[in-house]
Amino acid sequence: MRKKIVAGNWKMNKTLAEGTELAKTVNRLVEENDVTVVLCTPFIHLSEVNKIITKDSLFLGAQNCASEASGAYTGEVSAQMIRSAGADYVIIGHSERRSCFREDDSLLNKKVKLALENDLIPIFCCGEILKERQAGKHIQVVKTQIENGLFDLTTEDFSKIVIAYEPVWAIGTGVNATAEQAQEMHKIIRGLITDRYGHQIADNTPILYGGSCKPSNAKELFANPDVDGGLIGGASLTSSDFMGIVYAFKEI
Ligand code: 13P
């Protein structure tokens, strides 16, 4: 059985004090069951949040890592540094990194490999913009992102990957993909993985949905056979909304 995962992406929100408060509440409310919960915090929060986590099903993640291993790259944070702060996960290729910071597929491929070399689980994001969906190009866009970002990995390395499908038009807009749209794309992604790495790997790869996921729509989204959880932005910033999404799995 593949993992069910709900990951919170705090983005550039929360002071250190606010972030540690939120992490304490989430740590208290997380239940020891089969849902893996991940807090993807800003870099400066990592080691403090790491000290707070006591639950076996709660994990720490970063939102990005450098594309170089170490050295003279002022302002960058390496995968090794992230690992040393206690993180197990790192988001790679979020649409905000792709658009605001011009991160392309080959750069993201380097980041994925550095993350894996440093024992971090990449949460690899893909997703089309509205114009691409309207033009009927969404499947090709996601396919290209996944092929270029991930498909030169060995089977062993790929088996550690988590994928997050985040249609850009659904991020922070309040307009989520419908359950049908999410399931359609997730099934296509799993099919691509099957073709490249075989059934067993594809069956075990968690594919998360992201984009205006909230307690009121999480159950409908997560109930789909190829939707294995969510990558949550805005709703991860309050413990009640975030845990409402985590608990949605209980109703399925
Ligand atoms: P929202 O949940 O705020 O739409 O953001 C989704 C996201 O970008 C998570 O990475």
Side-chain angles (χ1 to χ4, degrees), residues 23-251:
K24 277 180 197 165
T25 311
V26 171
N27 184 66
R28 183 163 49 76
L29 296 175
V30 159
E31 296 172 359
E32 303 286 17
N33 58 19
D34 60 349
V35 182
T36 295
V37 180
V38 187
L39 297 178
C40 297
T41 79
F43 291 132
I44 63 145
H45 297 58
L46 288 173
S47 64
E48 287 303 314
V49 171
N50 189 42
K51 289 179 205 156
I52 290 164
I53 293 175
T54 58
K55 297 283 179 68
D56 287 344
S57 47
L58 183 60
F59 293 86
L60 184 63
Q63 301 170 14
N64 178 34
C65 69
S67 58
E68 301 294 335
S70 66
Y73 299 99
T74 302
E76 288 294 272
V77 177
S78 72
Q80 186 183 37
M81 289 152 68
I82 292 165
R83 182 69 195 158
S84 75
D88 285 296
Y89 290 81
V90 59
I91 298 171
I92 293 180
H94 191 280
S95 68
E96 288 145 22
R97 300 297 315 174
R98 292 176 188 265
S99 65
C100 307
F101 303 98
R102 303 268 177 277
E103 296 192 357
D104 62 17
D105 291 342
S106 72
L107 182 98
L108 298 174
N109 179 259
K110 282 171 76 176
K111 293 188 178 199
V112 166
K113 288 173 182 164
L114 280 166
L116 290 166
E117 279 167 28
N118 287 284
D119 268 335
L120 290 168
I121 299 170
I123 301 176
F124 183 84
C125 300
C126 57
E128 79 284 358
I129 62 172
L130 184 60
K131 236 170 59 189
E132 292 163 339
R133 179 164 279 264
Q134 286 170 337
K137 294 183 179 152
H138 48 296
I139 293 167
Q140 187 55 47
V141 167
V142 168
K143 181 170 186 266
T144 303
Q145 289 171 341
I146 289 180
E147 284 175 353
N148 293 348
L150 299 174
F151 277 7
D152 69 340
L153 297 179
T154 63
T155 304
E156 192 195 336
D157 275 348
F158 188 89
S159 70
K160 296 166 191 156
I161 298 285
V162 174
I163 291 180
Y165 169 57
E166 299 204 304
V168 181
W169 47 270
I171 296 177
T173 59
V175 182
N176 58 287
T178 64
E180 292 73 27
Q181 287 170 323
Q183 168 58 23
E184 180 195 35
M185 186 64 87
H186 285 224
K187 191 173 175 193
I188 288 166
I189 294 170
R190 204 175 303 286
L192 295 171
I193 302 169
T194 306
D195 292 345
R196 172 66 182 86
Y197 292 102
H199 268 295
Q200 203 190 339
I201 297 287
D203 282 348
N204 283 317
T205 302
I207 307 177
L208 315 183
Y209 167 78
S212 298
C213 187
K214 34 190 184 274
S216 58
N217 60 24
K219 179 182 164 192
E220 200 189 345
L221 288 160
F222 297 172
N224 291 284
D226 289 294
V227 180
D228 306 309
L231 181 56
I232 317 301
S236 73
L237 298 175
T238 56
S239 54
S240 55
D241 281 350
F242 186 57
M243 294 313 297
I245 294 170
V246 173
Y247 296 153
F249 271 116
K250 289 203 252 188
E251 298 169 36

